[in-house]
Amino acid sequence: MAEKNELMEKIVSLCKRRGFVFPGSEIYGGMANSWDYGPLGVELKNNIKQEWWKRFIQQRDDMVGIDAALIMNTKVWQASGHLANFSDPLVECKKCHNRFRFDQIPGIEASKNQSGGFQFKISAGAKCPICGVDAQINFSEPSSFNLMFKTFIGPSEEKSNLAYFRPETAQAMFVDFKNVLDTSRKQLPFGIGQIGKAFRNEITPGNFIFRTREFEQMEIEYFIRPPQKDEEWNNVFEMWRSEMKTWITDVLGIKWEHIHELEVPKEELAHYSKRTIDFEYHFPFGVSELYGLAYRTDFDLKNHMEASKQDICYTDPQTGEKILPHCIEPTWGVDRSVLAVLCEAFDDSNPENVVLRLPAKLAPYKVAVFPLLKNKEQLVGKAREIYNNLKKHFTVAWDDRGNVGKRYYSQDEIGTPFCITVDFDTVEKDNCVTVRDRDTKQQPRVKIEDLVKYLSEKINLYV
């Protein structure tokens, strides 16, 4: 465990040092579990989101996208069940006054009873993880802690103005279902997807950007006909299961042996789910959820139709029959994707040359351009010319600090897959440059006029 914690510390240190992720509000002492994406981090994060949008929205005929508001009518959360059910059991240590979710403490079990409260069991030997006192004696009775962030609409903080930041992106896709249906003319099966922020007032956030109070989701609600037998919805469920596996391995570059599929037990399913699979990743701090896939039946559309008194049924274009679709929901966490990609790519097997082996499509910079010497105008001028041309096609870094070897190490550490060096042969002999591959360390000479084609082919094939 110590080695794993040390690995996580190295990754967090690299993120801060090289501009991937910074502590939020740092000059004011920070803010608990608040993180800002720096210049390289925002590029990595945007690349993941762009690949997802292209793959699951733009390249599929059965998908459309939306971008919904962060704050919705409070009636949405009443109908969805979030106000009643979106809670965790909270316990407090009477000595140090720290609060915990029950599953953060070994030896404590909690389950909901019929009245919606929690049944609580503490094993002998369970202790407070902060001050170490006996949990059986010093812990309070559990209470229900709603995870939704409250706010107020308008100038006065009155109950009538109470609103909530959305705790998930899903509900907007159900609320907008009829509008999307009427304007897009999609026929079942089809899906609605969006990328956006969500907010949860987590009791115990932590593990860097893994669990935060403000996070981003890439989510799809895929609508199907009400199934006559389980096989019908299960086929769609398995289709999305396969799509998520391919995304993990082919786009994120994560080895499948580092993923664990957890079939969520029936008694632990969310209130809306008939079946859920969690895709868990072997993070340095332990195996934890990366993505989720759920069969939500018609729970959401039915509840919103009843609560709003609006007809949001789908009308079959052939038969005229009105039906209320069921829904399969694949969900991807953006921040957890970033963290998993960083963990998977981090390679310090050679401590003198740390390499971030990011898939080329996700790397913040696709290529770096160097003049061999920064005080030779003919080299600098030609390198700048190449740099400015490549910027039209790729994200490109310019680096003329120190010697070429140090520049290679610097670019390796931020995951740049290709480095171009302009030398005297470039300007005096062959009009070629050296292109160094981050992982193979091969350094072929490539003609300047062929660079865009060469790099494009490499990046598209490079995983």
Side-chain angles (χ1 to χ4, degrees), residues 199-241:
F199 303 82
R200 295 181 184 177
N201 197 13
E202 297 282 359
I203 302 167
T204 52
N207 288 324
F208 194 33
I209 58 173
F210 175 80
R211 189 187 301 279
T212 56
R213 294 185 173 96
E214 174 186 349
F215 58 96
E216 200 163 6
Q217 292 179 303
M218 304 176 291
E219 198 159 45
I220 288 170
E221 306 304 332
Y222 196 78
F223 299 99
I224 60 174
R225 291 179 174 275
Q228 300 301 309
K229 49 188 177 180
D230 286 345
E231 180 183 350
E232 295 173 9
W233 69 261
N234 195 59
N235 287 340
V236 182
F237 190 95
E238 291 299 325
M239 179 271 288
W240 280 109
R241 186 179 184 178

Side-chain angles (χ1 to χ4, degrees), residues 232-297:
E232 295 173 9
W233 69 261
N234 195 59
N235 287 340
V236 182
F237 190 95
E238 291 299 325
M239 179 271 288
W240 280 109
R241 186 179 184 178
S242 177
E243 288 284 349
M244 297 179 83
K245 178 178 179 179
T246 302
W247 164 267
I248 290 169
T249 56
D250 293 6
V251 180
L252 300 190
I254 292 174
K255 294 183 178 64
W256 188 247
E257 56 263 34
H258 296 164
I259 297 293
H260 174 250
E261 287 185 279
L262 172 67
E263 187 80 39
V264 177
K266 184 177 180 181
E267 62 273 13
E268 296 179 18
L269 289 172
H271 62 279
Y272 53 75
S273 176
K274 186 173 181 179
R275 183 190 180 192
T276 296
I277 289 178
D278 287 343
F279 294 85
E280 299 180 321
Y281 177 69
H282 290 248
F283 290 99
F285 49 79
V287 178
S288 298
E289 182 186 352
L290 179 62
Y291 302 142
L293 176 63
Y295 172 39
R296 298 182 74 124
T297 67

Side-chain angles (χ1 to χ4, degrees), residues 89-93 98-100 102 105 120 139-142:
L90 169 70
V91 294
E92 181 175 339
C93 175
N98 280 285
R99 295 177 177 180
F100 310 95
F102 78 94
I105 307 172
F120 195 51
F139 271 28
S140 68
E141 287 296 314

